Amino acid sequence: RKEVEQDPGPFNVPEGATVAFNCTYSNSASQSFFWYRQDCRKEPKLLMSVYSSGNEDGRFTAQLNRASQYISLLIRDSKLSDSATYLCVVTPNNNDMRFGAGTRLTVKP
Amino acid sequence: DAGVTQSPTHLIKTRGQQVTLRCSPKSGHDTVSWYQQALGQGPQFIFQYYEEEERQRGNFPDRFSGHQFPNYSSELNVNALLLGDSALYLCASSLTGGATKNIQYFGAGTRLSVL
């Protein structure tokens, strides 16, 4: 079993749609959780941290369920500029990050 | 405020050669991590350097080695290159123990092609 597993995608949605990505992780002792965004042939960039209480940043909402070892990302009112690969990230300790393979999103006009 | 910088941006080598990649962390950061990203995959953790020592290592062979300098910059060395080493190599910096809870910021990467 992979340490971090994500929806395989790709997701192709129209502008204005709501889309949700899911992620599961295998190490129950994992301490921190993040969503990163990666544009084609660019470096990953932090989108948001994920907290147990859930957190929201504009059109983006992240949720963490430690009992189920499950993380989600919800994007509302999708924009063309949201097209990217979304990477689920888990830190098993305070040092290294473990990435999922990523889910590719394409938002179409 | 300079972000994470990596050099070179692109590199072409042949099998069996050795390569050195360089990284300067974001200003104020003291920790450098290296990742390998193959096409269509997420980044895979190679190792992390803190206080000039390798603090953590992923599942990579000893052909992959590194170094951190007193100014916190870092190098990744790969010996005896294989075709399978072709990938994007990403450096990420962070501040150990800081308020940002070790969030890592990435450089633009070095794209290595082994022929």
Side-chain angles (χ1 to χ4, degrees):
Chain A
R1 183 184 174 188
K2 292 182 180 179
E3 287 187 87
V4 182
E5 295 200 64
Q6 295 186 238
D7 285 344
F11 286 67
N12 298 304
V13 303
E15 272 187 292
T18 295
V19 60
F21 303 141
N22 302 316
C23 170
T24 57
Y25 60 95
S26 61
N27 187 339
S28 60
S30 295
Q31 300 183 10
S32 302
F33 308 88
F34 308 93
W35 284 100
Y36 275 71
R37 168 197 169 126
Q38 187 171 27
D39 293 291
C40 188
R41 303 184 74 82
K42 300 285 189 180
E43 73 273 23
K45 293 184 178 178
L46 179 67
L47 179 65
M48 58 197 304
S49 301
V50 187
Y51 305 114
S52 297
S53 55
N55 49 301
E56 187 174 311
D57 183 3
R59 298 180 294 107
F60 299 84
T61 301
Q63 295 278 349
L64 166 64
N65 184 323
R66 284 187 180 270
S68 301
Q69 295 177 209
Y70 171 91
I71 305 162
S72 66
L73 176 68
L74 184 75
I75 305 175
R76 292 181 299 277
D77 189 22
S78 299
K79 311 292 186 190
L80 296 177
S81 58
D82 294 334
S83 297
T85 295
Y86 290 83
L87 297 162
C88 176
V89 183
V90 172
T91 60
N93 47 56
N94 280 328
N95 301 333
D96 59 293
M97 288 184 161
R98 303 303 168 102
F99 285 78
T103 301
R104 188 167 183 174
L105 171 66
T106 301
V107 181
K108 299 185 175 181
Chain B
D1 178 22
V4 181
T5 58
Q6 291 187 243
S7 63
T9 54
H10 295 84
L11 206 50
I12 299 175
K13 292 286 188 179
T14 57
R15 279 181 298 174
Q17 285 190 309
Q18 178 265 344
V19 68
T20 297
L21 311 182
R22 297 177 175 81
C23 172
S24 292
K26 182 178 169 66
S27 177
H29 285 183
D30 59 7
T31 303
V32 174
S33 303
W34 287 93
Y35 295 82
Q36 180 194 67
Q37 186 174 25
L39 200 61
Q41 300 297 315
Q44 299 297 308
F45 175 71
I46 303 175
F47 41 54
Q48 183 180 82
Y49 277 84
Y50 172 66
E51 293 187 336
E52 301 179 49
E53 292 191 356
E54 183 183 290
R55 175 160 70 177
Q56 188 99 16
R57 188 178 182 92
N59 189 26
F60 278 79
D62 291 344
R63 298 187 297 110
F64 290 77
S65 63
H67 189 77
Q68 185 179 34
F69 299 94
N71 67 353
Y72 307 120
S73 67
S74 177
E75 289 182 348
L76 164 66
N77 300 293
V78 187
N79 293 323
L81 285 167
L82 303 173
L83 296 179
D85 295 331
S86 296
L88 178 67
Y89 287 85
L90 294 161
C91 168
S93 75
S94 56
L95 177 61
T96 293
T100 53
K101 296 185 178 181
N102 302 316
I103 290 174
Q104 298 185 11
Y105 296 86
F106 286 83
T110 294
R111 192 164 297 278
L112 172 65
S113 298
V114 182
L115 305 179

mmCIF file of all heavy atoms in Angstrom, chain A residues 67-86:
data_model
loop_
_atom_site.group_PDB
_atom_site.id
_atom_site.type_symbol
_atom_site.label_atom_id
_atom_site.label_comp_id
_atom_site.label_asym_id
_atom_site.label_seq_id
_atom_site.Cartn_x
_atom_site.Cartn_y
_atom_site.Cartn_z
ATOM 1 N N ALA A 67 -9.203 9.639 12.279
ATOM 2 C CA ALA A 67 -9.656 8.274 12.568
ATOM 3 C C ALA A 67 -9.688 7.434 11.292
ATOM 4 O O ALA A 67 -9.314 6.255 11.302
ATOM 5 C CB ALA A 67 -11.038 8.307 13.217
ATOM 6 N N SER A 68 -10.119 8.051 10.204
ATOM 7 C CA SER A 68 -10.198 7.343 8.925
ATOM 8 C C SER A 68 -8.941 7.529 8.082
ATOM 9 O O SER A 68 -8.833 6.944 6.999
ATOM 10 C CB SER A 68 -11.411 7.827 8.133
ATOM 11 O OG SER A 68 -12.598 7.616 8.856
ATOM 12 N N GLN A 69 -8.026 8.376 8.565
ATOM 13 C CA GLN A 69 -6.779 8.674 7.837
ATOM 14 C C GLN A 69 -7.110 9.157 6.437
ATOM 15 O O GLN A 69 -6.620 8.608 5.428
ATOM 16 C CB GLN A 69 -5.857 7.437 7.851
ATOM 17 C CG GLN A 69 -5.395 7.104 9.244
ATOM 18 C CD GLN A 69 -4.545 5.843 9.352
ATOM 19 O OE1 GLN A 69 -4.551 5.182 10.371
ATOM 20 N NE2 GLN A 69 -3.826 5.514 8.319
ATOM 21 N N TYR A 70 -7.915 10.189 6.393
ATOM 22 C CA TYR A 70 -8.508 10.677 5.152
ATOM 23 C C TYR A 70 -8.435 12.195 5.129
ATOM 24 O O TYR A 70 -8.691 12.860 6.131
ATOM 25 C CB TYR A 70 -9.962 10.194 5.136
ATOM 26 C CG TYR A 70 -10.843 10.747 4.065
ATOM 27 C CD1 TYR A 70 -10.970 10.106 2.845
ATOM 28 C CD2 TYR A 70 -11.598 11.889 4.299
ATOM 29 C CE1 TYR A 70 -11.813 10.597 1.876
ATOM 30 C CE2 TYR A 70 -12.445 12.395 3.326
ATOM 31 C CZ TYR A 70 -12.552 11.732 2.117
ATOM 32 O OH TYR A 70 -13.396 12.228 1.156
ATOM 33 N N ILE A 71 -8.062 12.732 3.958
ATOM 34 C CA ILE A 71 -7.964 14.176 3.764
ATOM 35 C C ILE A 71 -8.750 14.526 2.518
ATOM 36 O O ILE A 71 -8.762 13.755 1.554
ATOM 37 C CB ILE A 71 -6.497 14.590 3.562
ATOM 38 C CG1 ILE A 71 -5.617 14.091 4.719
ATOM 39 C CG2 ILE A 71 -6.355 16.093 3.438
ATOM 40 C CD1 ILE A 71 -4.136 14.096 4.359
ATOM 41 N N SER A 72 -9.385 15.683 2.535
ATOM 42 C CA SER A 72 -10.127 16.104 1.347
ATOM 43 C C SER A 72 -9.852 17.567 1.035
ATOM 44 O O SER A 72 -9.439 18.342 1.898
ATOM 45 C CB SER A 72 -11.621 15.873 1.551
ATOM 46 O OG SER A 72 -12.113 16.718 2.568
ATOM 47 N N LEU A 73 -10.091 17.898 -0.216
ATOM 48 C CA LEU A 73 -9.997 19.290 -0.674
ATOM 49 C C LEU A 73 -11.204 19.562 -1.549
ATOM 50 O O LEU A 73 -11.479 18.817 -2.488
ATOM 51 C CB LEU A 73 -8.710 19.517 -1.471
ATOM 52 C CG LEU A 73 -8.558 20.909 -2.080
ATOM 53 C CD1 LEU A 73 -8.365 21.960 -0.989
ATOM 54 C CD2 LEU A 73 -7.388 20.937 -3.067
ATOM 55 N N LEU A 74 -11.923 20.626 -1.219
ATOM 56 C CA LEU A 74 -13.108 21.028 -1.987
ATOM 57 C C LEU A 74 -12.816 22.375 -2.634
ATOM 58 O O LEU A 74 -12.379 23.311 -1.951
ATOM 59 C CB LEU A 74 -14.326 21.128 -1.073
ATOM 60 C CG LEU A 74 -15.654 21.455 -1.738
ATOM 61 C CD1 LEU A 74 -16.183 20.230 -2.460
ATOM 62 C CD2 LEU A 74 -16.675 21.951 -0.710
ATOM 63 N N ILE A 75 -13.062 22.465 -3.920
ATOM 64 C CA ILE A 75 -12.905 23.731 -4.641
ATOM 65 C C ILE A 75 -14.280 24.142 -5.165
ATOM 66 O O ILE A 75 -14.907 23.401 -5.925
ATOM 67 C CB ILE A 75 -11.919 23.606 -5.827
ATOM 68 C CG1 ILE A 75 -10.571 23.055 -5.356
ATOM 69 C CG2 ILE A 75 -11.740 24.961 -6.508
ATOM 70 C CD1 ILE A 75 -9.580 22.796 -6.497
ATOM 71 N N ARG A 76 -14.721 25.291 -4.735
ATOM 72 C CA ARG A 76 -16.015 25.810 -5.187
ATOM 73 C C ARG A 76 -15.809 26.838 -6.291
ATOM 74 O O ARG A 76 -14.762 27.500 -6.363
ATOM 75 C CB ARG A 76 -16.759 26.467 -4.023
ATOM 76 C CG ARG A 76 -17.216 25.496 -2.952
ATOM 77 C CD ARG A 76 -17.969 26.257 -1.843
ATOM 78 N NE ARG A 76 -17.101 27.241 -1.203
ATOM 79 C CZ ARG A 76 -16.246 26.958 -0.240
ATOM 80 N NH1 ARG A 76 -16.113 25.713 0.184
ATOM 81 N NH2 ARG A 76 -15.501 27.908 0.307
ATOM 82 N N ASP A 77 -16.818 26.982 -7.157
ATOM 83 C CA ASP A 77 -16.793 28.014 -8.202
ATOM 84 C C ASP A 77 -15.461 27.976 -8.966
ATOM 85 O O ASP A 77 -14.715 28.959 -9.014
ATOM 86 C CB ASP A 77 -17.006 29.395 -7.572
ATOM 87 C CG ASP A 77 -17.212 30.492 -8.605
ATOM 88 O OD1 ASP A 77 -17.605 30.178 -9.744
ATOM 89 O OD2 ASP A 77 -16.948 31.662 -8.274
ATOM 90 N N SER A 78 -15.154 26.840 -9.543
ATOM 91 C CA SER A 78 -13.875 26.623 -10.217
ATOM 92 C C SER A 78 -13.590 27.704 -11.263
ATOM 93 O O SER A 78 -14.478 28.125 -12.006
ATOM 94 C CB SER A 78 -13.870 25.259 -10.905
ATOM 95 O OG SER A 78 -14.032 24.229 -9.971
ATOM 96 N N LYS A 79 -12.323 28.114 -11.304
ATOM 97 C CA LYS A 79 -11.836 29.077 -12.283
ATOM 98 C C LYS A 79 -10.874 28.378 -13.244
ATOM 99 O O LYS A 79 -10.273 27.360 -12.914
ATOM 100 C CB LYS A 79 -11.074 30.218 -11.580
ATOM 101 C CG LYS A 79 -11.797 30.851 -10.403
ATOM 102 C CD LYS A 79 -13.006 31.610 -10.834
ATOM 103 C CE LYS A 79 -13.626 32.353 -9.649
ATOM 104 N NZ LYS A 79 -14.959 32.918 -10.009
ATOM 105 N N LEU A 80 -10.722 28.970 -14.424
ATOM 106 C CA LEU A 80 -9.764 28.409 -15.388
ATOM 107 C C LEU A 80 -8.375 28.304 -14.762
ATOM 108 O O LEU A 80 -7.632 27.341 -15.008
ATOM 109 C CB LEU A 80 -9.699 29.279 -16.642
ATOM 110 C CG LEU A 80 -10.964 29.384 -17.483
ATOM 111 C CD1 LEU A 80 -10.752 30.346 -18.656
ATOM 112 C CD2 LEU A 80 -11.392 28.018 -17.998
ATOM 113 N N SER A 81 -8.032 29.280 -13.916
ATOM 114 C CA SER A 81 -6.709 29.318 -13.294
ATOM 115 C C SER A 81 -6.513 28.238 -12.232
ATOM 116 O O SER A 81 -5.395 28.066 -11.732
ATOM 117 C CB SER A 81 -6.469 30.692 -12.672
ATOM 118 O OG SER A 81 -7.473 30.975 -11.707
ATOM 119 N N ASP A 82 -7.577 27.521 -11.888
ATOM 120 C CA ASP A 82 -7.432 26.413 -10.934
ATOM 121 C C ASP A 82 -6.866 25.161 -11.600
ATOM 122 O O ASP A 82 -6.520 24.195 -10.919
ATOM 123 C CB ASP A 82 -8.784 26.062 -10.292
ATOM 124 C CG ASP A 82 -9.329 27.162 -9.408
ATOM 125 O OD1 ASP A 82 -8.521 27.954 -8.881
ATOM 126 O OD2 ASP A 82 -10.563 27.231 -9.244
ATOM 127 N N SER A 83 -6.793 25.157 -12.911
ATOM 128 C CA SER A 83 -6.255 23.993 -13.629
ATOM 129 C C SER A 83 -4.811 23.758 -13.214
ATOM 130 O O SER A 83 -3.957 24.631 -13.355
ATOM 131 C CB SER A 83 -6.322 24.217 -15.145
ATOM 132 O OG SER A 83 -7.653 24.342 -15.570
ATOM 133 N N ALA A 84 -4.553 22.571 -12.669
ATOM 134 C CA ALA A 84 -3.233 22.225 -12.132
ATOM 135 C C ALA A 84 -3.305 20.791 -11.618
ATOM 136 O O ALA A 84 -4.371 20.156 -11.666
ATOM 137 C CB ALA A 84 -2.835 23.167 -11.000
ATOM 138 N N THR A 85 -2.198 20.313 -11.089
ATOM 139 C CA THR A 85 -2.186 19.038 -10.370
ATOM 140 C C THR A 85 -2.162 19.342 -8.883
ATOM 141 O O THR A 85 -1.362 20.171 -8.424
ATOM 142 C CB THR A 85 -0.954 18.198 -10.771
ATOM 143 O OG1 THR A 85 -1.060 17.848 -12.147
ATOM 144 C CG2 THR A 85 -0.885 16.919 -9.937
ATOM 145 N N TYR A 86 -3.027 18.675 -8.137
ATOM 146 C CA TYR A 86 -3.138 18.910 -6.700
ATOM 147 C C TYR A 86 -2.515 17.723 -5.967
ATOM 148 O O TYR A 86 -2.898 16.569 -6.172
ATOM 149 C CB TYR A 86 -4.599 19.121 -6.309
ATOM 150 C CG TYR A 86 -5.094 20.445 -6.841
ATOM 151 C CD1 TYR A 86 -5.540 20.565 -8.154
ATOM 152 C CD2 TYR A 86 -5.057 21.602 -6.052
ATOM 153 C CE1 TYR A 86 -5.938 21.789 -8.667
ATOM 154 C CE2 TYR A 86 -5.461 22.822 -6.559
ATOM 155 C CZ TYR A 86 -5.891 22.912 -7.872
ATOM 156 O OH TYR A 86 -6.285 24.130 -8.376
#
